PDB file of all heavy atoms in Angstrom:
ATOM      1  N   GLY A 503      -8.280  -1.867 -18.448  1.00  0.00           N
ATOM      2  CA  GLY A 503      -8.264  -0.758 -19.398  1.00  0.00           C
ATOM      3  C   GLY A 503      -8.795   0.522 -18.783  1.00  0.00           C
ATOM      4  O   GLY A 503      -8.268   1.619 -19.043  1.00  0.00           O
ATOM      5  N   ILE A 504      -9.813   0.392 -17.955  1.00  0.00           N
ATOM      6  CA  ILE A 504     -10.369   1.562 -17.272  1.00  0.00           C
ATOM      7  C   ILE A 504      -9.345   2.155 -16.315  1.00  0.00           C
ATOM      8  O   ILE A 504      -9.160   3.380 -16.255  1.00  0.00           O
ATOM      9  CB  ILE A 504     -11.659   1.162 -16.520  1.00  0.00           C
ATOM     10  CG1 ILE A 504     -12.737   0.746 -17.512  1.00  0.00           C
ATOM     11  CG2 ILE A 504     -12.154   2.295 -15.620  1.00  0.00           C
ATOM     12  CD1 ILE A 504     -13.931   0.075 -16.883  1.00  0.00           C
ATOM     13  N   GLU A 505      -8.644   1.282 -15.566  1.00  0.00           N
ATOM     14  CA  GLU A 505      -7.656   1.783 -14.610  1.00  0.00           C
ATOM     15  C   GLU A 505      -6.480   2.458 -15.323  1.00  0.00           C
ATOM     16  O   GLU A 505      -5.940   3.445 -14.830  1.00  0.00           O
ATOM     17  CB  GLU A 505      -7.150   0.641 -13.726  1.00  0.00           C
ATOM     18  CG  GLU A 505      -8.208   0.001 -12.858  1.00  0.00           C
ATOM     19  CD  GLU A 505      -8.967   0.986 -11.992  1.00  0.00           C
ATOM     20  OE1 GLU A 505      -8.386   2.027 -11.595  1.00  0.00           O
ATOM     21  OE2 GLU A 505     -10.153   0.743 -11.720  1.00  0.00           O
ATOM     22  N   LEU A 506      -6.091   1.944 -16.502  1.00  0.00           N
ATOM     23  CA  LEU A 506      -5.007   2.582 -17.248  1.00  0.00           C
ATOM     24  C   LEU A 506      -5.425   3.980 -17.698  1.00  0.00           C
ATOM     25  O   LEU A 506      -4.648   4.938 -17.584  1.00  0.00           O
ATOM     26  CB  LEU A 506      -4.627   1.719 -18.458  1.00  0.00           C
ATOM     27  CG  LEU A 506      -3.535   2.287 -19.377  1.00  0.00           C
ATOM     28  CD1 LEU A 506      -2.256   2.569 -18.605  1.00  0.00           C
ATOM     29  CD2 LEU A 506      -3.262   1.342 -20.538  1.00  0.00           C
ATOM     30  N   ALA A 507      -6.639   4.105 -18.207  1.00  0.00           N
ATOM     31  CA  ALA A 507      -7.123   5.423 -18.626  1.00  0.00           C
ATOM     32  C   ALA A 507      -7.225   6.364 -17.442  1.00  0.00           C
ATOM     33  O   ALA A 507      -6.807   7.532 -17.501  1.00  0.00           O
ATOM     34  CB  ALA A 507      -8.480   5.273 -19.302  1.00  0.00           C
ATOM     35  N   ARG A 508      -7.766   5.859 -16.333  1.00  0.00           N
ATOM     36  CA  ARG A 508      -7.943   6.699 -15.151  1.00  0.00           C
ATOM     37  C   ARG A 508      -6.590   7.109 -14.567  1.00  0.00           C
ATOM     38  O   ARG A 508      -6.365   8.257 -14.209  1.00  0.00           O
ATOM     39  CB  ARG A 508      -8.765   5.933 -14.109  1.00  0.00           C
ATOM     40  CG  ARG A 508      -9.160   6.810 -12.942  1.00  0.00           C
ATOM     41  CD  ARG A 508      -9.842   6.083 -11.799  1.00  0.00           C
ATOM     42  NE  ARG A 508     -10.285   4.756 -12.024  1.00  0.00           N
ATOM     43  CZ  ARG A 508     -11.567   4.352 -11.933  1.00  0.00           C
ATOM     44  NH1 ARG A 508     -12.498   5.227 -11.664  1.00  0.00           N
ATOM     45  NH2 ARG A 508     -11.890   3.087 -12.109  1.00  0.00           N
ATOM     46  N   GLY A 509      -5.667   6.132 -14.456  1.00  0.00           N
ATOM     47  CA  GLY A 509      -4.352   6.443 -13.904  1.00  0.00           C
ATOM     48  C   GLY A 509      -3.612   7.457 -14.747  1.00  0.00           C
ATOM     49  O   GLY A 509      -2.998   8.407 -14.229  1.00  0.00           O
ATOM     50  N   THR A 510      -3.655   7.286 -16.082  1.00  0.00           N
ATOM     51  CA  THR A 510      -3.018   8.248 -16.985  1.00  0.00           C
ATOM     52  C   THR A 510      -3.590   9.641 -16.762  1.00  0.00           C
ATOM     53  O   THR A 510      -2.857  10.634 -16.665  1.00  0.00           O
ATOM     54  CB  THR A 510      -3.229   7.811 -18.452  1.00  0.00           C
ATOM     55  OG1 THR A 510      -2.651   6.526 -18.641  1.00  0.00           O
ATOM     56  CG2 THR A 510      -2.607   8.802 -19.405  1.00  0.00           C
ATOM     57  N   ALA A 511      -4.919   9.723 -16.677  1.00  0.00           N
ATOM     58  CA  ALA A 511      -5.582  11.020 -16.521  1.00  0.00           C
ATOM     59  C   ALA A 511      -5.235  11.679 -15.186  1.00  0.00           C
ATOM     60  O   ALA A 511      -4.943  12.880 -15.130  1.00  0.00           O
ATOM     61  CB  ALA A 511      -7.096  10.838 -16.642  1.00  0.00           C
ATOM     62  N   MET A 512      -5.263  10.907 -14.109  1.00  0.00           N
ATOM     63  CA  MET A 512      -5.003  11.496 -12.788  1.00  0.00           C
ATOM     64  C   MET A 512      -3.585  12.047 -12.683  1.00  0.00           C
ATOM     65  O   MET A 512      -3.368  13.114 -12.098  1.00  0.00           O
ATOM     66  CB  MET A 512      -5.249  10.453 -11.697  1.00  0.00           C
ATOM     67  CG  MET A 512      -6.710  10.099 -11.530  1.00  0.00           C
ATOM     68  SD  MET A 512      -7.036   9.009 -10.106  1.00  0.00           S
ATOM     69  CE  MET A 512      -6.069   7.575 -10.543  1.00  0.00           C
ATOM     70  N   ILE A 513      -2.609  11.343 -13.247  1.00  0.00           N
ATOM     71  CA  ILE A 513      -1.236  11.823 -13.166  1.00  0.00           C
ATOM     72  C   ILE A 513      -1.029  13.031 -14.079  1.00  0.00           C
ATOM     73  O   ILE A 513      -0.368  14.003 -13.711  1.00  0.00           O
ATOM     74  CB  ILE A 513      -0.249  10.693 -13.512  1.00  0.00           C
ATOM     75  CG1 ILE A 513      -0.375   9.566 -12.481  1.00  0.00           C
ATOM     76  CG2 ILE A 513       1.180  11.215 -13.539  1.00  0.00           C
ATOM     77  CD1 ILE A 513      -0.141   9.983 -11.035  1.00  0.00           C
ATOM     78  N   LEU A 514      -1.613  13.001 -15.284  1.00  0.00           N
ATOM     79  CA  LEU A 514      -1.465  14.145 -16.189  1.00  0.00           C
ATOM     80  C   LEU A 514      -2.187  15.378 -15.663  1.00  0.00           C
ATOM     81  O   LEU A 514      -1.783  16.510 -15.954  1.00  0.00           O
ATOM     82  CB  LEU A 514      -1.982  13.779 -17.584  1.00  0.00           C
ATOM     83  CG  LEU A 514      -1.114  12.784 -18.358  1.00  0.00           C
ATOM     84  CD1 LEU A 514      -1.774  12.404 -19.675  1.00  0.00           C
ATOM     85  CD2 LEU A 514       0.276  13.350 -18.595  1.00  0.00           C
ATOM     86  N   ALA A 515      -3.254  15.174 -14.883  1.00  0.00           N
ATOM     87  CA  ALA A 515      -3.939  16.306 -14.248  1.00  0.00           C
ATOM     88  C   ALA A 515      -3.321  16.653 -12.905  1.00  0.00           C
ATOM     89  O   ALA A 515      -3.707  17.640 -12.283  1.00  0.00           O
ATOM     90  CB  ALA A 515      -5.416  15.980 -14.059  1.00  0.00           C
ATOM     91  N   ALA A 516      -2.357  15.828 -12.452  1.00  0.00           N
ATOM     92  CA  ALA A 516      -1.760  15.968 -11.123  1.00  0.00           C
ATOM     93  C   ALA A 516      -2.845  16.017 -10.049  1.00  0.00           C
ATOM     94  O   ALA A 516      -2.746  16.776  -9.073  1.00  0.00           O
ATOM     95  CB  ALA A 516      -0.861  17.197 -11.049  1.00  0.00           C
TER      96      ALA A 516
END
Side-chain angles (χ1 to χ4, degrees):
I504 295 168
E505 297 306 330
L506 178 57
R508 188 187 348 241
T510 300
M512 290 187 299
I513 297 303
L514 289 175

